[in-house]
Structure formats: structure tokens, C-alpha cells
């Protein structure tokens, strides 16, 4: 198969990414998957309380069980996926589980049944995100130069696009179709997301990494410290997302409509920044960009901490969009570079850091806000992301390395350094 030569301009770079094998199919699948999630997830707590009648304790148990099972199941499936000759059966299994989960949520209302649906089907379906992205990375492992990494960032921007349009349409669907209709639409999106993947090869890495064959990447300690940095980032992300609306309306006395505008502004700006990363001819190394993203996130929270009016809030959201583009777009690539050839394990580890960060953030942020107020939460977020930035400064020289241990820039032409491989 002939792959595009390494492009020399931003426009050529984007066209080369679009011409990669299976790019259109993967983009369509990722969009449908993200669209299904964005229809349902924003209304999950509302469904549990208003439709299923769960009390606050039951709601907490339901959401916590979902998160824990998602981490455990995704981790186990990732280990299997990187060892099997074809990863596609597991990809389709996770998509089917997600479709079944939302179909069941349309009819199940008792607490025990919801726990079962959450632990088994939602937990397995949550692995669809890392499994689809690992399938994409494995399918593109032989393309020249850094085009595979750029393609992964482009796919992540497609996923972000689905979340720009999904929640609003989900709210309209909820008004017209109730929760059963919303979950039916989400289930249908999962089913449709599987169709474009039938012709995408479910390839294993060129040389699978197993327990008897150690990875050629950096030692486990480097991976562990990087994962810790992303857990801290995930904690700050979850805390900020939870308390930002309360801060804007309760502390600054602004309207709920302004909250929606600011969140929408961030989501809209995130996509062109990601596409700019795809088109950037010779960017710095991935690890350096990820480290910069951690530092910028600390600045974002400092702006919120000092904010007194709308201008500072807008500036903070613009900065947040850049951070999300860097860390959501390149974080996956960073971990795939740390764990050469182990695409599913790396992508799942990246996703799990966010899940663990969210689990740790709830009680921490609640207790902190109760003691010191909503604004002070952003001080805690700034401290967490500052600590993550320091960890990345410490680990970045060996992060996102290629197989020869060097920190390869995203834009390195083919022939100078090899693509990450086992």
C-alpha cells in the first residue's frame, strides 16, 4: 500500500491525514460513538434521580460503581487486546455492550437492576473509547513519519466536535421523547458506530509486548509518574467542571445563560486548536507540549481564582480550550509513545487517569468548598495542576520517546527517527 509522502505545508499536512487508509471510516465511527455518549451522559444523574427515584446515597453508589467497573474492565480488555492477533472482536464487544447498556436504561428503573446495568454493560461499554482509538492507532502503525500521531489528534478533534453538538440535541430529545427516547438514540449511535469499522483491519502491533518480552519504552516508574501527573490533571479538570457553574452564578452573580455561553465557547475553540496541532509543520516534542499544557492549566485556574467579571472568565475559557486541545489531543499520543506497540494498554491508561481523577475529586472538592467557598476550589485546582506540571518537567525528558529512547518531535520527517514500535 502506498502512503502519502511527508507533506511540506500545513494544507498538505491536513490533506495527507485525510488521505490515510480508513481515515473517513474511523472519523465517522469516532463521531457516532462520541455523539451517543454526549446524548446520554450529561443527563445520567438527572435520570437516576427524577426517573428512577434514587436517593443521593443510591445515586452516589450507582455513579461510583460505574466508574470503578469502567476502570477495571477497560484495563483487563486492554491487556487482552494487545495480545490477540486481532483486536476488532473486543472493539465490537465494547460497542455492543454500550448499545445494550443504553437500551436497558430505557426500561430498567429499580436500583438493583441499575447497579447491574452499570457494573456490567456501562462498565464494558466505557471501554469502547480506548478500544476504538487503539484500533485506529494499530491500523495506522505503518504510515510514514508522524502522520499516525497527527491522525490521532484529528480523530480526537472529531470526538470533541460530537460533544459540541450532542448535549444540546440531547436536551431537545429529552423534552420531546423523555429518557427512554434519549437512551434509545444513544444506543442507536453505538450500533451505527460499529458499521464503519467492519472494513478497518483489527491488526495487532508488529511485535506484541507480553509478560515475557519487556517493552522497549522507558521503565515502569516513568509510566507511573506520568500517569500520576494525569490523575492530578483529571482531578483538577473534574473539580473545575463541577464548581465553575456554581462559582459563576453563586459567587459572581452572573446568569446561567452565561455559563452555557462560556462552556460552548471553550468547546468551539478546542476544535480549531486541535486542527492547528495537526497542521503544525514542525512542532516541539509531544512531551514538551503536554508539559506546557499542564502549566497553562495552572494559569487557567489562577485566572478563575482572581476573576471578578466576564472578561477574566472569557480569557480563562480561551486558555482552557488550548489546554484541552493539548492534553486531550496529545495525551493519548504521549502514552502511546511511552508504551510502544501496546496501543490498547496505553490508550486505556490515558482514559483511566481521567476516571480515577474524577473519582478522587468528588469528596475532596466538596469538603474543600464546604470549608473555604467555591472560589477557593480553583486554588486547589491550581495547586494540583502545578504539581502535575512539576512531575511532567521531571519526567518529560524520557517521555513520549521513540524506540531508541529519544524524545521525537511530532513533526520529524520519516527516515530521521523511527515511529514508536516494540
Amino acid at each position: 500500500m502506498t502512503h502519502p509522502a511527508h507533506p511540506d505545508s500545513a494544507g498538505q499536512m491536513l490533506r495527507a491525514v485525510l488521505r490515510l487508509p480508513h481515515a473517513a471510516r474511523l472519523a465517522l465511527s469516532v463521531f457516532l460513538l462520541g455523539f451517543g455518549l454526549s446524548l446520554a451522559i450529561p443527563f445520567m444523574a438527572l435520570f437516576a434521580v427524577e426517573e428512577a427515584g434514587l436517593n443521593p446515597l443510591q445515586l452516589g453508589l450507582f455513579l461510583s460503581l460505574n466508574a470503578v467497573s469502567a476502570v477495571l474492565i477497560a484495563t483487563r480488555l486492554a491487556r487482552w487486546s494487545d495480545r490477540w492477533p486481532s483486536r476488532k472482536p473486543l472493539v465490537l464487544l465494547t460497542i455492543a455492550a454500550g448499545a445494550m447498556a443504553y437500551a436497558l436504561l430505557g426500561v430498567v428503573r429499580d436500583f438493583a437492576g441499575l447497579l447491574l446495568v452499570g457494573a456490567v454493560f456501562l462498565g464494558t461499554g466505557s471501554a469502547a473509547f480506548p478500544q476504538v482509538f487503539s484500533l485506529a492507532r494499530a491500523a495506522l502503525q505503518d504510515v510514514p513519519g508522524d502522520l499516525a500521531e497527527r491522525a490521532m489528534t484529528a480523530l480526537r478533534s472529531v470526538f470533541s466536535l460530537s460533544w459540541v453538538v450532542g448535549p444540546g440535541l440531547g436536551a431537545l430529545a429529552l423534552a420531546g421523547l423523555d429518557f427512554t427516547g434519549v437512551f434509545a438514540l444513544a444506543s442507536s449511535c453505538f450500533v451505527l458506530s460499529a458499521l464503519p469499522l467492519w472494513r478497518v483491519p483489527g491488526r495487532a502491533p508488529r511485535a506484541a509486548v507480553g509478560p515475557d518480552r519487556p517493552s522497549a519504552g522507558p521503565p515502569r516508574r516513568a509510566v507511573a509518574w506520568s500517569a500520576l501527573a494525569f490523575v492530578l490533571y483529571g482531578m483538577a479538570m473534574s473539580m473545575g467542571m463541577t464548581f465553575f457553574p456554581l462559582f459563576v452564578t453563586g459567587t459572581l452573580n452572573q446568569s446561567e445563560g452565561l455559563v452555557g455561553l462560556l462552556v460552548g465557547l471553550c468547546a468551539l475553540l478546542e476544535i480549531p486548536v486541535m486542527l492547528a496541532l495537526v497542521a503544525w509543520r514542525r512542532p516541539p516534542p509531544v512531551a514538551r507540549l503536554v508539559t506546557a499544557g499542564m502549566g497553562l492549566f495552572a494559569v487557567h485556574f489562577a485566572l478563575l481564582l482572581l476573576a471578578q467579571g466576564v472578561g477574566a472568565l472569557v480569557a480563562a475559557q480561551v486558555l482552557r480550550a488550548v489546554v484541552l486541545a493539548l492534553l486531550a489531543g496529545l495525551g493519548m499520543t504521549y502514552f502511546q509513545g511511552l508504551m510502544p506497540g501496546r496501543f490498547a494498554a496505553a490508550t486505556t491508561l490515558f482514559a483511566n487517569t481521567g476516571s480515577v481523577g474524577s473519582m478522587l475529586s468528588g469528596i475532596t472538592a466538596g469538603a474543600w468548598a464546604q470549608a473555604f467557598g467555591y472560589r477557593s476550589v480553583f486554588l486547589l485546582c491550581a495547586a494540583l495542576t502545578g504539581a502535575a506540571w512539576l512531575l511532567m518537567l521531571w519526567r518529560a525528558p524520557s517521555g513520549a520517546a521513540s524506540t531508541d529512547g529519544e524524545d521525537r518531535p511530532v513533526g520529524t520527517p520519516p527516515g530521521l527517527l523511527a515511529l514508536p514500535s516494540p
Side-chain angles (χ1 to χ4, degrees):
M1 181 180 295
T2 302
H3 298 294
H6 194 277
D8 294 323
S9 69
Q12 289 177 333
M13 197 79 71
L14 286 173
R15 288 192 294 271
V17 169
L18 293 174
R19 290 197 302 267
L20 288 176
H22 314 293
R25 296 187 185 95
L26 290 168
L28 179 59
S29 179
V30 166
F31 180 84
L32 288 169
L33 178 64
F35 189 60
L37 292 171
S38 68
L39 286 173
I41 287 179
F43 307 103
M44 189 67 69
L46 190 64
F47 157 77
V49 173
E50 294 191 356
E51 185 74 8
L54 302 190
N55 60 43
L57 177 59
Q58 290 174 325
L59 173 63
L61 289 173
F62 173 63
L63 296 178
S64 296
L65 182 62
N66 292 351
V68 172
S69 66
V71 170
L72 296 178
I73 293 173
T75 301
R76 173 51 58 184
L77 292 180
R79 292 176 181 174
W80 291 344
S81 180
D82 283 331
R83 289 179 170 88
W84 288 9
S86 174
R87 64 185 68 235
K88 190 183 292 185
L90 287 180
V91 175
L92 298 178
L93 170 66
T94 59
I95 292 175
M100 181 62 71
Y102 291 112
L104 289 172
L105 287 176
V107 295
V108 175
R109 294 296 181 270
D110 63 288
F111 181 53
L114 289 175
L115 290 180
L116 180 62
V117 172
V120 178
F121 294 102
L122 280 177
T124 305
S126 67
F129 172 82
Q131 285 290 329
V132 168
F133 273 84
S134 68
L135 174 71
R137 185 62 182 84
L140 298 173
Q141 63 182 319
D142 291 328
V143 302
D146 61 330
L147 287 177
E149 296 175 358
R150 295 178 185 273
M152 297 304 293
T153 302
L155 287 177
R156 191 59 180 79
S157 71
V158 171
F159 190 81
S160 297
L161 176 62
S162 69
W163 275 84
V164 172
V165 298
L169 293 178
L172 292 176
L174 182 60
L177 302 173
D178 68 33
F179 287 104
T180 299
V182 170
F183 290 138
L185 289 174
S187 179
S188 299
C189 287
F190 267 73
V191 173
L192 292 174
S193 74
L195 299 181
L197 300 180
W198 283 107
R199 296 184 62 185
V200 177
R203 303 168 60 193
R206 286 188 294 270
V209 179
D212 56 346
R213 180 187 175 102
S215 168
R220 290 185 178 181
R221 184 176 298 178
V223 176
W225 284 118
S226 296
L228 176 58
F230 271 82
V231 167
L232 296 176
Y233 157 72
M235 287 182 67
M237 172 70 71
S238 181
M239 291 178 185
M241 189 182 307
T242 300
F243 285 93
F244 180 72
L246 298 172
F247 170 68
V248 172
T249 58
T251 302
L252 298 183
N253 298 315
Q254 300 291 335
S255 68
E256 295 178 356
L258 177 62
V259 175
L261 288 174
L262 291 171
V263 173
L265 173 66
C266 178
L268 286 173
L269 291 176
E270 182 183 343
I271 296 169
V273 176
M274 281 188 175
L275 293 178
L277 287 173
V278 175
W280 196 352
R281 286 188 60 196
R282 297 187 183 278
V286 172
R288 194 174 301 165
L289 288 171
V290 169
T291 303
M294 296 287 188
L296 288 174
F297 211 27
V299 176
H300 159 79
F301 287 119
L303 279 176
L304 290 178
L305 179 65
L306 300 174
Q308 300 295 331
V310 176
L313 295 177
V314 170
Q317 291 304 96
V318 172
L319 196 56
R320 179 185 176 90
V322 176
V323 170
L324 291 180
L326 288 171
L327 298 181
L330 295 179
M332 189 183 304
T333 300
Y334 174 76
F335 277 99
Q336 288 172 347
L338 278 178
M339 304 166 68
R342 301 175 61 191
F343 299 137
T347 308
T348 300
L349 177 60
F350 168 70
N352 283 350
T353 58
S355 298
V356 173
S358 296
M359 284 189 284
L360 295 175
S361 70
I363 188 170
T364 304
W368 187 278
Q370 180 71 29
F372 305 109
Y374 293 147
R375 186 186 292 272
S376 69
V377 171
F378 301 122
L379 175 61
L380 178 58
C381 291
L384 289 170
T385 49
W389 175 67
L390 291 175
L391 279 173
M392 291 301 299
L393 279 179
W394 181 42
R395 291 311 326 168
S398 59
S402 61
T403 54
D404 58 4
E406 296 180 56
D407 194 12
R408 182 169 58 86
V410 179
T412 302
L416 295 184
L417 289 172
L419 281 170
S421 60

